[in-house]
Amino acid sequence: QSEAELMGGAIGRSGRAAGAAASMLAHEIKNPLAGIKGAAQLLARNTDANGARFTTLICAEVDRITTLIDQMEHFSRGQPITCTPINLYPPIHQAMEAVRARQLFGIRFAEDFDPSLPLVHGNHDAMVQILLNLVTNACEVLAGRDDGVVRIATAYRHGLSIDNGDGRGRIALPIEVSVSDNGPGVPAHIRGDLFDPFVTTKREGRGLGLALVAKLARDMGGTVQHMRDDDWTRFRVHLPAARGSAGKGQYH
């Protein structure tokens, strides 16, 4: 319980800090980037093959930075996402279909679902994004292995609640969705800051994936936790049940 409280507070602080940074970056950088790309495209019309290589590079880098800003802007949205009673399994299946379409060799997916899980107070698109980020991360750390396993599980946990400090008081979070992998785990020196923006171990990573997962979970009134359990790395998303749905099986 105390660990969940601390995690909820840390996620709230990181989300607010990221929101302020996103607003500043979007305003100060995005418009000049459009001008830079436009100028490079004009130069490309009157240059040789060698010059075209550099204008192409400029345009590609502008697109990359613009994508980064777009991702950052997720954190600056002041209005909460719309939450309704949803069946948790359609977003799980949608995310898994997208991941499997990449044909990742050497990785086996395992599912362990609670068939009597009630409806969740959540948002379908937000759940798809959370699961895509978590499953993609798990697959990336298993790349190059032939014994990788990514396990997606759901469960009903009695007794877990949290106060996110948003004025709603304590909220019960009985619905758990977890994504686990048998990879090497998160380095010890970043575990305490794992859900902060720009914290990453990936050479080409931006460090926004887990920060976005944390924000989306919080926007739905939930939280996310990381743990290392024997040889497994687990990310557990805890969410509230929809009102009046407890005990109604929703597995499909």
Side-chain angles (χ1 to χ4, degrees), residues 8-21:
I11 289 172
R13 289 190 296 274
S14 67
R16 288 189 291 272

Side-chain angles (χ1 to χ4, degrees), residues 2-34:
S2 60
E3 182 181 348
E5 296 283 0
L6 291 172
M7 183 63 71
I11 289 172
R13 289 190 296 274
S14 67
R16 288 189 291 272
S23 297
M24 180 189 69
L25 286 171
H27 178 73
E28 299 293 337
I29 298 177
K30 208 169 183 180
N31 288 337
L33 282 177

Side-chain angles (χ1 to χ4, degrees), residues 1-13 157-165 169-176 195 214 217-218 221-227 236-239:
Q1 185 70 64
S2 60
E3 182 181 348
E5 296 283 0
L6 291 172
M7 183 63 71
I11 289 172
R13 289 190 296 274
R157 305 294 187 191
H158 295 276
L160 178 62
S161 64
I162 193 170
D163 187 341
N164 280 324
R170 300 198 68 83
I171 301 173
L173 304 177
I175 312 298
E176 178 183 293
F195 296 103
R218 180 179 175 84
T223 189
V224 59
Q225 294 175 307
H226 159 265
M227 64 179 296
R236 301 186 301 181
V237 180
H238 301 280
L239 297 167

